[in-house]
Amino acid sequence: SYLEAGRNVMTLFENKGWTSIITDDLVENVLFMMSVVVGLLTGLVGYIMTTLDRNLFVAYPNPGLMGFLMGLLVGFVMTSVLMS
């Protein structure tokens, strides 16, 4: 069955010492997704700030978008540096 085959594969990985390789690969993906989520949340905060105060990015035609992009960039870069 499918479940038995999965258990056999995990037993094989444990016997060969590959579980640390698999775990390291999964951790990298989780940290990347956390960086994206934090970037999106700070982008949302930047968007809310620019919609409440229109004087933040006056020179741009769409200040809400610019606030979102700046927040996204700052949040993504900061968490990428901290989680690496």
Side-chain angles (χ1 to χ4, degrees):
S1 78
Y2 180 73
L3 293 175
E4 185 178 332
R7 285 188 200 109
N8 290 338
V9 168
M10 288 308 296
T11 304
L12 175 67
F13 283 166
E14 287 173 3
N15 291 338
K16 297 290 183 179
W18 291 353
T19 53
S20 62
I21 295 171
I22 295 170
T23 304
D24 287 345
D25 187 46
L26 292 176
V27 166
E28 184 177 317
N29 292 335
V30 170
L31 291 179
F32 174 74
M33 285 306 295
M34 287 303 296
S35 296
V36 170
V37 168
V38 170
L40 290 173
L41 289 175
T42 55
L44 181 64
V45 169
Y47 177 77
I48 291 170
M49 287 177 60
T50 54
T51 54
L52 293 176
D53 184 10
R54 290 286 182 179
N55 294 326
L56 290 176
F57 293 107
V58 173
Y60 297 99
N62 191 351
L65 177 66
M66 187 49 111
F68 176 78
L69 291 177
M70 291 297 286
L72 177 73
L73 181 68
V74 167
F76 184 76
V77 168
M78 290 298 289
T79 54
S80 294
V81 168
L82 290 174
M83 292 185 182
S84 64

PDB file of all heavy atoms in Angstrom, residues 18-32:
ATOM      1  N   TRP A  18      19.971  10.174   5.654  1.00  0.00           N
ATOM      2  CA  TRP A  18      19.510  11.233   4.748  1.00  0.00           C
ATOM      3  C   TRP A  18      18.448  12.125   5.354  1.00  0.00           C
ATOM      4  O   TRP A  18      18.033  13.102   4.737  1.00  0.00           O
ATOM      5  CB  TRP A  18      18.966  10.631   3.460  1.00  0.00           C
ATOM      6  CG  TRP A  18      19.997   9.993   2.585  1.00  0.00           C
ATOM      7  CD1 TRP A  18      21.346  10.004   2.755  1.00  0.00           C
ATOM      8  CD2 TRP A  18      19.754   9.234   1.411  1.00  0.00           C
ATOM      9  NE1 TRP A  18      21.954   9.297   1.764  1.00  0.00           N
ATOM     10  CE2 TRP A  18      20.993   8.806   0.916  1.00  0.00           C
ATOM     11  CE3 TRP A  18      18.617   8.864   0.732  1.00  0.00           C
ATOM     12  CZ2 TRP A  18      21.125   8.048  -0.233  1.00  0.00           C
ATOM     13  CZ3 TRP A  18      18.743   8.107  -0.408  1.00  0.00           C
ATOM     14  CH2 TRP A  18      19.978   7.707  -0.895  1.00  0.00           C
ATOM     15  N   THR A  19      17.995  11.823   6.548  1.00  0.00           N
ATOM     16  CA  THR A  19      16.934  12.640   7.138  1.00  0.00           C
ATOM     17  C   THR A  19      17.402  14.066   7.392  1.00  0.00           C
ATOM     18  O   THR A  19      16.620  15.002   7.258  1.00  0.00           O
ATOM     19  CB  THR A  19      16.428  12.019   8.455  1.00  0.00           C
ATOM     20  OG1 THR A  19      17.541  11.783   9.309  1.00  0.00           O
ATOM     21  CG2 THR A  19      15.686  10.734   8.196  1.00  0.00           C
ATOM     22  N   SER A  20      18.678  14.253   7.722  1.00  0.00           N
ATOM     23  CA  SER A  20      19.173  15.619   7.945  1.00  0.00           C
ATOM     24  C   SER A  20      19.197  16.398   6.641  1.00  0.00           C
ATOM     25  O   SER A  20      18.932  17.605   6.633  1.00  0.00           O
ATOM     26  CB  SER A  20      20.555  15.590   8.583  1.00  0.00           C
ATOM     27  OG  SER A  20      21.480  14.947   7.736  1.00  0.00           O
ATOM     28  N   ILE A  21      19.479  15.738   5.535  1.00  0.00           N
ATOM     29  CA  ILE A  21      19.470  16.412   4.227  1.00  0.00           C
ATOM     30  C   ILE A  21      18.049  16.837   3.872  1.00  0.00           C
ATOM     31  O   ILE A  21      17.819  17.972   3.427  1.00  0.00           O
ATOM     32  CB  ILE A  21      20.051  15.485   3.146  1.00  0.00           C
ATOM     33  CG1 ILE A  21      21.522  15.217   3.422  1.00  0.00           C
ATOM     34  CG2 ILE A  21      19.865  16.091   1.754  1.00  0.00           C
ATOM     35  CD1 ILE A  21      22.131  14.152   2.559  1.00  0.00           C
ATOM     36  N   ILE A  22      17.092  15.970   4.090  1.00  0.00           N
ATOM     37  CA  ILE A  22      15.701  16.298   3.799  1.00  0.00           C
ATOM     38  C   ILE A  22      15.219  17.420   4.705  1.00  0.00           C
ATOM     39  O   ILE A  22      14.553  18.359   4.262  1.00  0.00           O
ATOM     40  CB  ILE A  22      14.814  15.039   3.944  1.00  0.00           C
ATOM     41  CG1 ILE A  22      15.195  14.022   2.884  1.00  0.00           C
ATOM     42  CG2 ILE A  22      13.343  15.392   3.848  1.00  0.00           C
ATOM     43  CD1 ILE A  22      14.569  12.672   3.081  1.00  0.00           C
ATOM     44  N   THR A  23      15.567  17.349   5.981  1.00  0.00           N
ATOM     45  CA  THR A  23      15.156  18.372   6.938  1.00  0.00           C
ATOM     46  C   THR A  23      15.753  19.727   6.574  1.00  0.00           C
ATOM     47  O   THR A  23      15.054  20.745   6.617  1.00  0.00           O
ATOM     48  CB  THR A  23      15.584  17.971   8.358  1.00  0.00           C
ATOM     49  OG1 THR A  23      15.045  16.692   8.650  1.00  0.00           O
ATOM     50  CG2 THR A  23      15.099  18.978   9.377  1.00  0.00           C
ATOM     51  N   ASP A  24      17.025  19.766   6.201  1.00  0.00           N
ATOM     52  CA  ASP A  24      17.657  21.024   5.808  1.00  0.00           C
ATOM     53  C   ASP A  24      16.980  21.624   4.586  1.00  0.00           C
ATOM     54  O   ASP A  24      16.819  22.841   4.490  1.00  0.00           O
ATOM     55  CB  ASP A  24      19.143  20.819   5.537  1.00  0.00           C
ATOM     56  CG  ASP A  24      19.943  20.608   6.798  1.00  0.00           C
ATOM     57  OD1 ASP A  24      19.413  20.895   7.883  1.00  0.00           O
ATOM     58  OD2 ASP A  24      21.098  20.142   6.695  1.00  0.00           O
ATOM     59  N   ASP A  25      16.589  20.782   3.642  1.00  0.00           N
ATOM     60  CA  ASP A  25      15.920  21.275   2.443  1.00  0.00           C
ATOM     61  C   ASP A  25      14.554  21.861   2.780  1.00  0.00           C
ATOM     62  O   ASP A  25      14.166  22.894   2.248  1.00  0.00           O
ATOM     63  CB  ASP A  25      15.783  20.144   1.424  1.00  0.00           C
ATOM     64  CG  ASP A  25      15.262  20.642   0.098  1.00  0.00           C
ATOM     65  OD1 ASP A  25      15.772  21.678  -0.388  1.00  0.00           O
ATOM     66  OD2 ASP A  25      14.339  20.011  -0.456  1.00  0.00           O
ATOM     67  N   LEU A  26      13.827  21.241   3.687  1.00  0.00           N
ATOM     68  CA  LEU A  26      12.506  21.736   4.077  1.00  0.00           C
ATOM     69  C   LEU A  26      12.605  23.026   4.876  1.00  0.00           C
ATOM     70  O   LEU A  26      11.773  23.921   4.725  1.00  0.00           O
ATOM     71  CB  LEU A  26      11.754  20.673   4.869  1.00  0.00           C
ATOM     72  CG  LEU A  26      11.344  19.433   4.090  1.00  0.00           C
ATOM     73  CD1 LEU A  26      10.706  18.429   5.021  1.00  0.00           C
ATOM     74  CD2 LEU A  26      10.419  19.776   2.952  1.00  0.00           C
ATOM     75  N   VAL A  27      13.613  23.135   5.723  1.00  0.00           N
ATOM     76  CA  VAL A  27      13.778  24.343   6.540  1.00  0.00           C
ATOM     77  C   VAL A  27      14.024  25.556   5.647  1.00  0.00           C
ATOM     78  O   VAL A  27      13.485  26.638   5.894  1.00  0.00           O
ATOM     79  CB  VAL A  27      14.920  24.149   7.560  1.00  0.00           C
ATOM     80  CG1 VAL A  27      15.341  25.460   8.168  1.00  0.00           C
ATOM     81  CG2 VAL A  27      14.512  23.167   8.625  1.00  0.00           C
ATOM     82  N   GLU A  28      14.792  25.386   4.595  1.00  0.00           N
ATOM     83  CA  GLU A  28      15.065  26.496   3.678  1.00  0.00           C
ATOM     84  C   GLU A  28      13.771  27.010   3.049  1.00  0.00           C
ATOM     85  O   GLU A  28      13.566  28.220   2.938  1.00  0.00           O
ATOM     86  CB  GLU A  28      16.027  26.021   2.592  1.00  0.00           C
ATOM     87  CG  GLU A  28      16.458  27.097   1.638  1.00  0.00           C
ATOM     88  CD  GLU A  28      17.460  26.561   0.635  1.00  0.00           C
ATOM     89  OE1 GLU A  28      18.366  25.809   1.033  1.00  0.00           O
ATOM     90  OE2 GLU A  28      17.331  26.908  -0.550  1.00  0.00           O
ATOM     91  N   ASN A  29      12.884  26.119   2.663  1.00  0.00           N
ATOM     92  CA  ASN A  29      11.609  26.523   2.070  1.00  0.00           C
ATOM     93  C   ASN A  29      10.720  27.243   3.079  1.00  0.00           C
ATOM     94  O   ASN A  29      10.062  28.236   2.747  1.00  0.00           O
ATOM     95  CB  ASN A  29      10.869  25.307   1.507  1.00  0.00           C
ATOM     96  CG  ASN A  29      11.567  24.715   0.314  1.00  0.00           C
ATOM     97  OD1 ASN A  29      12.302  25.391  -0.382  1.00  0.00           O
ATOM     98  ND2 ASN A  29      11.357  23.436   0.095  1.00  0.00           N
ATOM     99  N   VAL A  30      10.703  26.772   4.309  1.00  0.00           N
ATOM    100  CA  VAL A  30       9.886  27.408   5.350  1.00  0.00           C
ATOM    101  C   VAL A  30      10.406  28.812   5.655  1.00  0.00           C
ATOM    102  O   VAL A  30       9.625  29.759   5.789  1.00  0.00           O
ATOM    103  CB  VAL A  30       9.854  26.535   6.624  1.00  0.00           C
ATOM    104  CG1 VAL A  30       9.237  27.284   7.783  1.00  0.00           C
ATOM    105  CG2 VAL A  30       9.103  25.245   6.357  1.00  0.00           C
ATOM    106  N   LEU A  31      11.713  28.967   5.739  1.00  0.00           N
ATOM    107  CA  LEU A  31      12.282  30.294   6.008  1.00  0.00           C
ATOM    108  C   LEU A  31      11.996  31.264   4.868  1.00  0.00           C
ATOM    109  O   LEU A  31      11.720  32.445   5.104  1.00  0.00           O
ATOM    110  CB  LEU A  31      13.785  30.182   6.254  1.00  0.00           C
ATOM    111  CG  LEU A  31      14.196  29.492   7.552  1.00  0.00           C
ATOM    112  CD1 LEU A  31      15.712  29.427   7.649  1.00  0.00           C
ATOM    113  CD2 LEU A  31      13.609  30.182   8.755  1.00  0.00           C
ATOM    114  N   PHE A  32      12.032  30.783   3.637  1.00  0.00           N
ATOM    115  CA  PHE A  32      11.708  31.642   2.496  1.00  0.00           C
ATOM    116  C   PHE A  32      10.247  32.085   2.554  1.00  0.00           C
ATOM    117  O   PHE A  32       9.936  33.259   2.334  1.00  0.00           O
ATOM    118  CB  PHE A  32      11.994  30.924   1.173  1.00  0.00           C
ATOM    119  CG  PHE A  32      11.548  31.703  -0.023  1.00  0.00           C
ATOM    120  CD1 PHE A  32      12.254  32.820  -0.432  1.00  0.00           C
ATOM    121  CD2 PHE A  32      10.414  31.333  -0.722  1.00  0.00           C
ATOM    122  CE1 PHE A  32      11.839  33.556  -1.526  1.00  0.00           C
ATOM    123  CE2 PHE A  32       9.995  32.050  -1.813  1.00  0.00           C
ATOM    124  CZ  PHE A  32      10.706  33.169  -2.230  1.00  0.00           C
TER     125      PHE A  32
END
